Amino acid sequence: MQLFEHNPIKIYNSLTGKKETFKSIETGYVGMYVCGPTVYSNVHLGNVRTFMSFDMVFRYLKHLGYKVRYVRNITDAGHLENDADAGEDKITKKARLEQIEPMEVVQRYTVDFHNILNTFNFLPPSIEPTATGHIIEQIELISTIIENGFGYEVNGSVYFDVHKFNETHEYGKLSKRKLEDLIHNTRELDGQSDKRNPQDFALWKRAEPQHIMRWPSPWSDGFPGWHLECTAMSTKYLGEQFDIHGGGMDLKFPHHECEIAQNEAAKGKSPVNYWMHANMLELNGQRMSKSTGNTINPDELLSGNNNFFSKAYAPSVIRFFIAQSSYRSVLDLTNDGLLASEKGFYRLMDAVNLLEKLTASKASSIDINAWKQSCYDAMNDDFNSPILIAHLFEAAKYINQIKEGKETISAEDLTTLKETINIFVFDVLGLENVVKNDSGTDKLTGAVNVLIKLRQEARANKDFALSDKIRDELAEAGILLKDGKDGTTYSVN
């Protein structure tokens, strides 16, 4: 029996606005699509947070025994500067500014994307398709939409007729927007657009003479619309209906809304059963923005070469920080928050490393199996990593108490504890067991060991006033002494 058979997951479905028990279309198999990056610049931390959330989802589904096909695309054409089909293609613009080929831009930033994700210990997706590699599929999809009466061609460009679609379908059901409200809040077309209505969106854009990235189609030499790409790639590899579609909250409208409309217009059915959206990452309480300078890229955070944070942080510390917040919550990246997460991360790693040194007893003083199930219950509740981490800290406390002789554990439970810790810390959360990089650690350890020896001598001489003074003054400095059967150890609080 696979773990998923007795670990039902509840997923918050953005489409219905509530948690629902997950049931895959085909028992034992999961199809998951996540919108990947537009590779025209370095990947930013907000993107990393989103992809990290779905990496954790992918890891947990695999752990439960599902066979997961995880598709995450690369947008290497067609993403205009303005989501309303205006402006220049982002990649083409970057190529023009740097006077290089568009595919050089794509290659450079795709490599950067993969390097960053590898640094943070991401699992690679099952398939990573590109928009330019699926032009034929997109042209076929447009033809079907036109044949079904929901697309129209004007001057070589093809648009999706949102008003016609809304007569028989519900445009806006994912983002909870009504077409009437969108019409009311949209300015009239200025006569420069080929669209029938401002709410219509591009399926294919005719390329201007200066536009470098272009492909032949029945309508013109041009390029596909951004929304169309994900519909073509997700359905090609996961089928006309699949289990999970993920992405950032900012993609809910219009991108994901348009994906639903395209699929229903072409295939006659809604494409996805569970829509999942990761929330924003803020920097010091404000939205990240290049224009205001309130932004930081992953390399700057990892190296410490920035004006926001007091030091560099290890990738697993950053990963741990992100996991301490629900993927659906806004997460504020601050120096104090990272420092606290670093302290917690190394405390957890200390406990993990201490596991191998524990001695089993005849019986356990706590219920390990109940604790183990609590870890599964946390992840089964919409992948609640903050609650999971709270349970892992409970285990860390228990491990330290066993070491100090205050609690006991049987050999069987010790094996269960080790296996469960490894599953959730390393396999599910994707953390790595790294040693704290602190050049002063050895010197600190040496100094504290001298004081521990002086304290032992004081106790041997029954000078308990001096012994207590050493302990108390170290505690005031944030260094806690722990007396156990194997001697005295210390931790930095």
Side-chain angles (χ1 to χ4, degrees), residues 40-58:
Y40 73 100
S41 65
N42 296 106
V43 62
H44 62 75
L45 275 170
N47 294 141
V48 170
R49 191 248 175 132
T50 295
F51 300 133
M52 194 174 288
S53 298
F54 290 106
D55 180 64
M56 181 182 67
V57 171
F58 181 37

Side-chain angles (χ1 to χ4, degrees), residues 410-463:
S410 69
E412 182 180 357
D413 282 350
L414 180 56
T415 298
T416 299
L417 180 60
K418 288 178 181 178
E419 290 175 348
T420 306
I421 287 280
N422 283 324
I423 285 167
F424 286 102
V425 172
F426 303 120
D427 296 345
V428 174
L429 292 180
L431 303 176
E432 295 180 290
N433 195 348
V434 295
V435 178
K436 187 173 183 181
N437 182 19
D438 188 343
S439 59
T441 297
D442 292 340
K443 294 177 181 178
L444 175 64
T445 298
V448 174
N449 284 337
V450 169
L451 291 170
I452 289 174
K453 186 177 180 180
L454 290 173
R455 180 169 173 263
Q456 289 171 339
E457 291 174 356
R459 295 172 75 179
N461 295 327
K462 297 186 179 182
D463 188 355

